[in-house]
Amino acid sequence: QDEAYPRPDTQCFFTVMSSFAKRKDYRMAQAAEKLLVRLGDLPGNERQAKHFNVVLNAYAESGHSRSGEMAERLLESMTNLYRTTGDDNVRPELQSYNTVIKAHARSKKRDSAQRAASILSSMETEPDKITYSSCIDAWTKSGEKGAAQKAERILKEMKALSQNGHLDCKPDRICYNAVINALAASGEQDAGERSERLLDEMQKLSDAGDEE
């Protein structure tokens, strides 16, 4: 190796992949994934979870119809690599799962909400409010029949978890608004009344000092 032209290190790859992610373009996300593959081909396979996460986010931010399936496929590769090597550096993190769910929500494909729900149920780490709110968002955007009920069920689960001490799952204004949006989009006869009940609940929580 010519010392005048040293081999790029992992930070070089990470910086370029991050710049691709900021473009919010599907082709740039694919370019970022190619760099991830190149990084894995280098001696020592120095990839880490953060390298996978930045590519996952590139797909999510692209909003492309295939972003969800591409992000999920990459998460599977990440999981398989961890199980094969036992390397904790590539173990999927909470951010990894959350980003794949976000990618499904933004893809707006017919099965995107179902895929997001499947990711939630198969997570190997504890979900947080971002995980749940992204799933609610996926149902809101899916247009599926019964989506509002599923969004309400997730909110109910979040409230139960937070009451049992899982404060990372405590629903905030964003979560409530997402469910209200799902109800508004549902066209169901009693959607207005159900939305108003949630609004009243938000007001009571706020009056009690809950600023979130």
Side-chain angles (χ1 to χ4, degrees):
Q1 179 178 331
D2 188 340
E3 293 185 0
Y5 299 95
R7 177 173 66 86
D9 60 15
T10 56
Q11 185 59 41
C12 293
F13 279 87
F14 181 74
T15 301
V16 177
M17 286 189 288
S18 297
S19 69
F20 284 154
K22 292 176 182 177
R23 298 283 296 276
K24 299 184 179 182
D25 181 271
Y26 181 71
R27 289 175 298 177
M28 292 296 99
Q30 290 178 306
E33 185 173 359
K34 288 179 181 178
L35 284 179
L36 181 66
V37 172
R38 280 180 56 190
L39 181 58
D41 289 338
L42 293 179
N45 186 10
E46 299 176 0
R47 287 179 295 184
Q48 299 176 19
K50 70 175 185 178
H51 301 119
F52 283 88
N53 289 343
V54 75
V55 181
L56 291 173
N57 193 54
Y59 279 119
E61 290 295 326
S62 75
H64 193 275
S65 60
R66 293 195 63 200
S67 62
E69 64 180 276
M70 296 297 285
E72 185 173 344
R73 178 188 54 75
L74 187 57
L75 178 65
E76 290 174 358
S77 297
M78 191 179 181
T79 302
N80 290 336
L81 181 61
Y82 165 67
R83 289 175 178 169
T84 301
T85 64
D87 184 359
D88 280 332
N89 287 323
V90 295
R91 185 174 187 173
E93 304 170 330
L94 177 59
Q95 180 185 347
S96 312
Y97 293 104
N98 286 352
T99 307
V100 175
I101 290 172
K102 180 174 74 171
H104 275 301
R106 294 189 175 185
S107 69
K108 301 178 185 178
K109 292 191 71 174
R110 183 179 296 274
D111 65 341
S112 60
Q114 294 285 358
R115 295 306 313 157
S118 178
I119 295 294
L120 174 62
S121 65
S122 65
M123 286 176 61
E124 297 182 6
T125 185
E126 288 293 325
D128 62 3
K129 71 173 64 179
I130 296 175
T131 319
Y132 285 107
S133 62
S134 295
C135 278
I136 291 172
D137 189 42
W139 284 115
T140 301
K141 293 175 178 176
S142 71
E144 288 191 30
K145 186 177 181 179
Q149 289 96 324
K150 291 183 172 66
E152 287 179 292
R153 194 175 303 138
I154 293 173
L155 181 65
K156 184 177 180 180
E157 182 178 348
M158 292 179 73
K159 290 188 285 187
L161 285 167
S162 64
Q163 289 167 2
N164 287 325
H166 297 274
L167 299 183
D168 285 344
C169 298
K170 180 177 174 292
D172 57 14
R173 184 184 300 105
I174 294 173
C175 301
Y176 275 92
N177 286 344
V179 178
I180 290 172
N181 285 336
L183 285 163
S186 71
E188 295 175 10
Q189 190 170 7
D190 62 344
E193 290 83 354
R194 285 151 66 193
S195 296
E196 189 171 6
R197 281 198 295 270
L198 289 178
L199 188 64
D200 290 342
E201 187 175 316
M202 292 174 72
Q203 187 65 59
K204 289 178 182 177
L205 290 168
S206 176
D207 291 344
D210 188 345
E211 295 182 359
E212 293 188 17

